[in-house]
């Protein structure tokens, strides 16, 4: 993601409501990234593990992160990073 021009801010941000794997800045946007790793795609893509419950927890945890920054006026987005392991 850094090779794409994003600036790394933090990893494994935790609040009482959950955890966000990675946080980046992409110009005027904060990017909250969830990383999902699988050894194969035999059943489903890794991103399929981010269901409605997980999306809600990510959103709530992102709000906690923004509160720590005193709620800046900033764009936000959520990315899912899929990692497929090979032998």
């Amino acid at each position: 993601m850094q090779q794409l021009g994003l600036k790394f801010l933090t990893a494994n941000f935790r609040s009482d409501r959950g955890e966000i794997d990675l946080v980046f800045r992409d110009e005027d946007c904060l990017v909250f990234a969830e990383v999902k790793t699988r050894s194969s795609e035999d059943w489903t893509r890794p991103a399929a593990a981010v269901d409605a419950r997980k999306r809600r927890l990510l959103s709530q945890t992102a709000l906690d992160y923004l509160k720590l920054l005193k709620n800046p006026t900033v764009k936000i987005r959520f990315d899912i990073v899929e990692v497929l392991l090979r032998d």
Side-chain angles (χ1 to χ4, degrees):
M1 291 182 83
Q2 288 175 307
Q3 291 176 345
L4 297 173
L6 282 73
K7 181 181 178 194
F8 173 76
L9 298 177
T10 192
N12 303 317
F13 172 77
R14 296 174 195 264
S15 77
D16 292 339
R17 299 192 261 191
E19 178 181 354
I20 295 176
D21 294 328
L22 301 168
V23 181
F24 293 91
R25 189 179 77 223
D26 185 8
E27 296 182 10
D28 63 343
C29 183
L30 282 179
V31 180
F32 298 98
E34 177 71 8
V35 179
K36 291 296 179 191
T37 304
R38 298 290 182 270
S39 57
S40 76
E41 291 181 270
D42 290 345
W43 297 101
T44 62
R45 300 277 313 213
V50 184
D51 59 11
R53 178 185 171 279
K54 182 62 176 177
R55 288 192 304 270
R56 185 177 65 254
L57 291 173
L58 288 169
S59 296
Q60 292 171 341
T61 306
L63 288 173
D64 291 339
Y65 184 84
L66 293 170
K67 284 180 190 174
L68 286 177
L69 301 178
K70 301 190 192 297
N71 296 314
T73 303
V74 64
K75 297 175 192 172
I76 64 168
R77 81 170 192 247
F78 295 88
D79 288 0
I80 300 172
V81 177
E82 292 185 314
V83 177
L84 297 173
L85 301 176
R86 296 190 177 155
D87 293 336

